[in-house]
Amino acid sequence: GAGVSQSPSNKVTEKGKDVELRCDPISGHTALYWYRQSLGQGLEFLIYFQGNSAPDKSGLPSDRFSAERTGGSVSTLTIQRTQQEDSAVYLCASSFDAGSGGEQYFGPGTRLTVT
Amino acid sequence: AQSVTQPDIHITVSEGASLELRCNYSYGATPYLFWYVQSPGQGLQLLLKYFSGDTLVQGIKGFEAEFKRSQSSFNLRKPSVHWSDAAEYFCAVGAGTGGFKTIFGAGTRLFVKA
């Protein structure tokens, strides 16, 4: 079956511009996560959605970052007024609600470069 | 707060040698524990996971990990490393209901020499 997909795969933007990153989770997965991976770094948790519950936004680094998940499926991560330090690979993952213990399936990521 | 420590930033082993990657976690309850691998140009893939029961868990590609509560550790092992194992390895702890909020360690990069 189809895995987690993300678009675009690469995004180059100028400092100060807004960007939107998209994630299509695996069908039927109720949990969706966003992470940021900077060069040579581990995964930094940003936000996760679980079913119809309020999202856990505790990892968002500033109010320039926001995310939404429409219809319990597709998610969009928006970064406003991008800064050079926002350059990173943004990874999306999804997991099934029950029985998996949170095993996550990752997308290929979106590489964001802010110039 | 929960956290994960991978003390080794990088490790080099010879092909055919054994491997152990260290992971220590901090979490108040019994955690969900995971090891993921990220190969060059590839996405992250789950190697193995621990929820409960037998503390020695087997994963894909010949990897295993042992949960030691007394040491708050979940070290990854492989008896004989192959060149294709060269990758970045991430230990993670799942917190909250069902282990959904997952905290990753900084990763250990494995180099394999011929």
Side-chain angles (χ1 to χ4, degrees):
Chain A
V4 177
S5 61
Q6 294 185 245
S7 60
S9 55
N10 281 284
K11 176 71 177 180
V12 180
T13 190
E14 293 180 352
K15 177 182 174 181
K17 301 284 189 182
D18 297 351
V19 295
E20 285 188 351
L21 312 180
R22 177 186 169 103
C23 173
D24 284 87
I26 293 173
S27 178
H29 281 194
T30 59
L32 186 147
Y33 312 75
W34 283 99
Y35 298 91
R36 179 169 68 177
Q37 187 174 28
S38 302
L39 187 62
Q41 302 295 311
L43 276 73
E44 176 187 3
F45 166 81
L46 297 178
I47 186 171
Y48 97 88
F49 300 86
Q50 169 54 30
N52 295 321
S53 302
D56 181 338
K57 305 179 181 180
S58 59
L60 294 178
S62 77
D63 59 8
R64 296 187 295 105
F65 289 72
S66 64
E68 62 177 20
R69 188 179 186 192
T70 55
S73 181
V74 172
S75 177
T76 302
L77 177 70
T78 301
I79 308 174
Q80 295 178 311
R81 305 180 302 281
T82 52
Q83 304 295 312
Q84 288 187 330
E85 60 263 28
D86 300 333
S87 296
V89 175
Y90 289 82
L91 292 167
C92 175
S94 69
S95 69
F96 185 61
D97 193 355
S100 70
E103 173 184 347
Q104 296 176 39
Y105 296 80
F106 283 83
T110 293
R111 182 175 298 277
L112 175 66
T113 304
V114 181
T115 62
Chain B
Q2 54 268 23
S3 64
V4 178
T5 301
Q6 294 181 246
D8 303 305
I9 297 173
H10 55 80
I11 283 181
T12 301
V13 299
S14 298
E15 191 170 17
S18 63
L19 170 70
E20 182 170 31
L21 302 183
R22 296 183 291 164
C23 173
N24 292 95
Y25 67 90
S26 173
Y27 186 59
T30 300
Y32 294 78
L33 294 163
F34 308 86
W35 276 98
Y36 288 85
V37 60
Q38 187 176 37
S39 300
Q42 304 291 316
L44 278 110
Q45 181 183 23
L46 181 72
L47 281 177
L48 48 77
K49 58 189 177 186
Y50 170 80
F51 300 151
S52 64
D54 192 348
T55 56
L56 183 65
V57 293
Q58 304 296 322
I60 62 172
K61 305 183 180 184
F63 285 91
E64 66 178 27
E66 186 171 13
F67 169 57
K68 293 186 177 180
R69 183 188 302 276
S70 62
Q71 299 176 19
S72 297
S73 69
F74 189 57
N75 294 350
L76 182 71
R77 302 194 293 249
K78 186 169 184 177
S80 178
V81 168
H82 188 263
W83 65 267
S84 61
D85 294 325
E88 184 104 27
Y89 292 81
F90 294 95
C91 181
V93 58
T97 302
F100 285 114
K101 181 173 179 178
T102 306
I103 306 300
F104 283 78
T108 297
R109 181 165 293 279
L110 173 65
F111 297 94
V112 180
K113 60 182 180 180

